[in-house]
Amino acid sequence: MRALLLGGGNMGRAIGAALTARGDTIVAMLGRDAATTDPASLAPVDIAFEFTHADAILADTRFAAAAGTRVLVVGTSGWAGDQRLRDAVASVATDAGLRVIVGPTFSVATVLFTSIAVEAARRFGRFRDFDPYVFEHHRRTKPDRPSGTAIAIAEAMLPHLHSKRQARLPEGDGAPDPETLEVIALRAGASPGMHVVGFDAPGESIELRVTARDRSAYVAGALLAADTALADPDLPAGLISFAELLDRATTDH
Ligand SMILES: NC(=O)c1ccc[n+]([C@@H]2O[C@H](COP(=O)([O-])OP(=O)(O)OC[C@H]3O[C@@H](n4cnc5c(N)ncnc54)[C@H](OP(=O)(O)O)[C@@H]3O)[C@@H](O)[C@H]2O)c1
């Protein structure tokens, strides 16, 4: 297959190595120099991967469309809440007949874990005795907290938790607000990402945990997203989340 890499950082290089190892052709790996490259000169492109910065996503989507790309996988984070940008990217994709797979994480385990956490919230959330919590651990150098994944997990659980009305990092040193789902973020060492969802009752407790070992999990998920989308003729053009794509692939319809 002919593959285009938009972003030549850690993820771009790791995806490039994985594509080369399985025999795909890299037509280009572009960073900020995409602006000076003629996309038509790279056509056709089967799969493209965008791992850069939120500022570059729209231009990169236009670039991928102009290169005749069939499936674009966008892993860049930091734009989930920007509805105008999402609409603009979706509009470019729909006009070009381009399928764009987006995900705050391409870790298959983490995406499926979120569904399991929501199911656990549905089952335990009605019992006030089972007090829920979300806990995450990332490397000391991660600039933000809590992780986008922890926020997504907590927000997806919240509607099913009868005793909680908000989810957030706890503040201060006083007694906790019983109606807050506490999201605890630990920053230490080199962990590439660990998330725990727990329910603690007086006489018993349950914990669900997902741990990323290194970025190879994100690389594998990004390739899986591209291959799955390419193999699905019924997938419409426009934006589709990696979670939805996995849902289509892992449930009987
Ligand atoms: N969804 C997932 O599973 C997942 C997993 C890992 C990372 N990510 C996200 O993917 C993105 C890239 O991660 P990374 O680890 O590869 O980062 P990185 O090593 O810092 O590389 C970033 C790349 O993007 C380019 N870039 C940065 N700002 C740009 C801009 N304004 N316009 C065009 N290109 C720009 C950089 O070009 P220069 O070298 O020229 O600066 C570089 O090639 C981040 O948003 C990260 O959070 C997502």
Side-chain angles (χ1 to χ4, degrees), residues 75 77-78 80 103-115 117-118 134-138 142 144-157 167 181 183-184 187 192-197 210-212 218:
S77 58
T105 174
F106 278 96
S107 150
V108 172
T110 304
V111 172
L112 298 182
F113 176 85
T114 304
S115 315
V118 170
V134 175
F135 168 66
E136 55 102 335
H137 172 196
H138 282 84
K142 184 173 170 59
D144 55 325
R145 72 167 76 196
S147 68
T149 297
I151 295 169
I153 290 170
E155 286 180 352
M157 291 173 64
L181 169 63
V183 181
I184 305 296
R187 294 288 169 267
M194 187 275 281
H195 292 84
V196 170
V197 165
V210 61
T211 307
Y218 308 122

Side-chain angles (χ1 to χ4, degrees), residues 202-247:
E204 55 189 344
S205 71
I206 178 170
E207 277 195 344
L208 308 166
R209 174 190 304 250
V210 61
T211 307
R213 204 166 287 133
D214 55 43
R215 73 167 65 85
S216 65
Y218 308 122
V219 173
L223 266 58
L224 177 71
D227 293 342
T228 306
L230 212 51
D232 185 348
D234 298 329
L235 199 66
L239 289 193
I240 180 161
S241 75
F242 183 46
E244 273 176 79
L245 193 71
L246 278 185
D247 204 36

Side-chain angles (χ1 to χ4, degrees), residues 18 35 41 50 64 78 121 133 251:
S41 68
E50 207 280 350
Y133 57 90
T251 52

